[in-house]
Amino acid sequence: MHEVSLVRNIFSTLEAEFSEAELQKLTGIDLKIGLLSNVEPMLMQNAFEAVTTAENKFQEVKLHIELIPIEIFCDTCGQASPVENYKFVCQSCSQPNNNIVKGLELLIHRVHFSES
Amino acid sequence: MEKTLKSNRAARGTVPCDNTTMNLLKANDFMAEGIRKRMAEQHMLLINITSSPGSGKTTLLQETARRIGHQINMKVLVGDLETERDAERLRSVGLDALQIVTGGICHLEAQMIWQGMEALNLEGADLLIIENVGNLVCPAAFDLGEDYRVTLLATTEGDDKPKKYPRMFLTSELMLISKADLLPYLPFSVEAAVQDARDINPDIEILQLSSTNGTGIDAWCDWLLEKVSEKKAASVLNAS
């Protein structure tokens, strides 16, 4: 996908929300990446390393990626089911369903700062 | 309204971000909403056509213009990394087409469409077609404010593409199996492609066509004309 531009956008999002002094104390970023977001976690990590090195900032920051599996919600059964092998079927009533409630995420979930 | 990152908390320890969307998509989705609103006001249908490179998007649009170009006022925005070639091909059949050269970007973003709409003369247009960059991965994640996403799957690509690129087929309303005239010569199972696409997206409509021998072109044009009239009839409130 376009992991490098996504990494730059993580930075611009954080820079818009925190001051430079605050970001000096940044130690970690937690992302939530849905399986359907077309973002590959390993490439994201590599892109993060490449951009932090190239731009000489946030080099000590750890990027943590939580991969979110796909989940659908069936209105008929009132039940959520996981999607395996991209088969979008309610596991309760076996009806086809693509009411996706999880798996499309591309989110900054949490950031960590040093305690001092 | 989404909460912003900036909280009253000190930047110390762990700070929850209320699942803040990464900027890139937030900006895109904002522009996409703007496009959707504008198209609803003008009762103009917006179609986003995606596929792998070389699956016949431009050829299909040329054929579409020949068939129904006199019936409706259609315009095209076409995206590629380089060259003006596709827009030239579309203009050669009388279409008003504008090339968006992305210069290395692997997809079109809503901002580019907005700018393209400013540059095209959309006065009186019934239909705006976006021919996306040939790529089944990245364009899937970018909402362009379209009414319908149409994805071509050429028989020469193999029938396994829906399973390999699920998000694109998941977000498409119509799958066109293109180059159907080559089916006798290729190990492509229409049944398998249809089954895989429906596993991912039970609601997806599927048509087979060939721009070379004309198979299925009428069905495609009818689909398009029907959607154009539905959009014309839709009230702005319903459409937005």
Side-chain angles (χ1 to χ4, degrees):
Chain A
M1 178 103 157
H2 24 254
E3 280 77 1
V4 167
S5 60
L6 285 174
V7 169
R8 291 221 162 88
N9 279 292
I10 298 174
F11 293 168
S12 59
T13 305
L14 294 178
E15 279 159 0
E17 304 297 341
F18 294 100
S19 72
E20 206 174 312
E22 287 172 320
L23 288 175
Q24 290 286 332
K25 299 189 295 173
L26 187 70
T27 58
I29 302 168
D30 295 352
L31 304 180
K32 278 190 182 177
I33 304 283
L35 210 57
L36 278 169
S37 68
N38 284 347
V39 170
E40 167 56 42
M42 201 160 74
L43 293 182
M44 192 77 168
Q45 289 285 4
N46 292 346
F48 186 78
E49 208 170 301
V51 177
T52 51
T53 307
E55 299 188 1
N56 197 21
K57 58 182 181 189
F58 304 136
Q59 291 197 59
E60 304 305 318
V61 174
K62 289 257 179 300
L63 183 71
H64 176 259
I65 297 173
E66 184 188 348
L67 203 59
I68 310 289
I70 310 165
E71 198 176 288
I72 50 175
F73 186 83
C74 177
D75 285 327
T76 321
C77 306
Q79 252 186 344
S81 23
V83 172
E84 279 143 20
N85 300 316
Y86 296 106
K87 273 203 186 294
F88 290 78
V89 175
C90 171
Q91 294 198 347
S92 167
C93 66
S94 304
Q95 288 303 305
N97 181 317
N98 55 8
N99 177 24
I100 298 155
V101 288
K102 281 186 193 165
L104 288 164
E105 296 82 355
L106 203 53
L107 305 168
I108 304 171
H109 174 49
R110 276 187 310 232
V111 288
H112 305 277
F113 294 94
S114 65
E115 294 291 345
S116 55
Chain B
M1 190 66 201
E2 197 175 359
K3 284 171 87 178
T4 59
L5 267 178
K6 202 168 261 172
S7 62
N8 299 326
R9 287 163 206 257
R12 189 183 306 139
T14 298
V15 178
C17 301
D18 306 305
N19 290 330
T20 302
T21 313
M22 284 181 211
N23 230 350
L24 180 104
L25 293 182
K26 197 165 29 179
N28 184 77
D29 293 349
F30 178 77
M31 287 307 296
E33 268 323 301
I35 293 171
R36 220 183 306 280
K37 189 161 172 276
R38 188 165 150 191
M39 298 307 269
E41 282 164 4
Q42 299 183 14
H43 297 275
M44 197 190 306
L45 186 71
L46 183 61
I47 302 278
N48 180 7
I49 300 191
T50 61
S51 78
S52 305
S55 59
K57 293 184 292 301
T58 311
T59 310
L60 176 63
L61 290 182
Q62 287 180 309
E63 202 49 36
T64 307
R66 286 191 194 103
R67 297 281 179 115
I68 55 170
H70 58 283
Q71 275 170 273
I72 51 168
N73 182 342
M74 60 190 269
K75 313 269 176 174
V76 184
L77 285 171
V78 52
D80 279 300
L81 271 64
E82 294 295 345
T83 83
E84 176 87 21
R85 286 185 189 178
D86 275 0
E88 285 163 7
R89 284 177 59 196
L90 294 166
R91 283 182 209 122
S92 75
V93 292
L95 273 172
D96 190 6
L98 184 76
Q99 182 82 44
I100 301 174
V101 176
T102 65
I105 298 173
C106 50
H107 57 270
L108 291 176
E109 294 192 17
Q111 174 76 45
M112 302 175 189
I113 302 307
W114 186 270
Q115 285 177 326
M117 285 165 67
E118 299 285 311
L120 267 179
N121 176 16
L122 291 176
E123 188 71 40
D126 307 303
L127 169 65
L128 175 61
I129 292 185
I130 300 162
E131 185 186 327
N132 217 311
V133 177
N135 176 348
L136 285 175
V137 186
C138 310
F142 290 86
D143 180 7
L144 302 180
E146 69 263 31
D147 295 290
Y148 296 96
R149 186 173 288 182
V150 176
T151 298
L152 271 70
L153 168 60
T155 55
T156 47
E157 293 173 56
D159 52 30
D160 54 357
K161 294 301 170 288
K163 274 276 146 104
K164 287 185 171 175
Y165 302 93
R167 186 167 182 182
M168 187 58 93
F169 293 90
L170 181 70
T171 55
S172 299
E173 280 79 20
L174 176 65
M175 174 169 97
L176 299 175
I177 299 179
S178 62
K179 307 193 186 181
D181 54 307
L182 298 177
L183 278 170
Y185 315 104
L186 296 166
F188 183 101
S189 161
V190 173
E191 206 183 316
V194 168
Q195 181 61 51
D196 284 355
R198 293 241 158 96
D199 273 354
I200 295 161
N201 182 355
D203 302 326
I204 197 166
E205 288 185 72
I206 299 166
L207 293 174
Q208 274 183 62
L209 53 80
S210 161
S211 303
T212 309
N213 72 10
T215 309
I217 299 292
D218 281 341
W220 152 247
C221 289
D222 287 347
W223 184 91
L224 213 46
L225 290 172
E226 189 190 314
K227 301 301 180 195
V228 167
S229 22
E230 279 173 15
K231 186 77 184 248
K232 285 247 171 287
S235 85
V236 175
L237 275 177
N238 285 342
S240 60

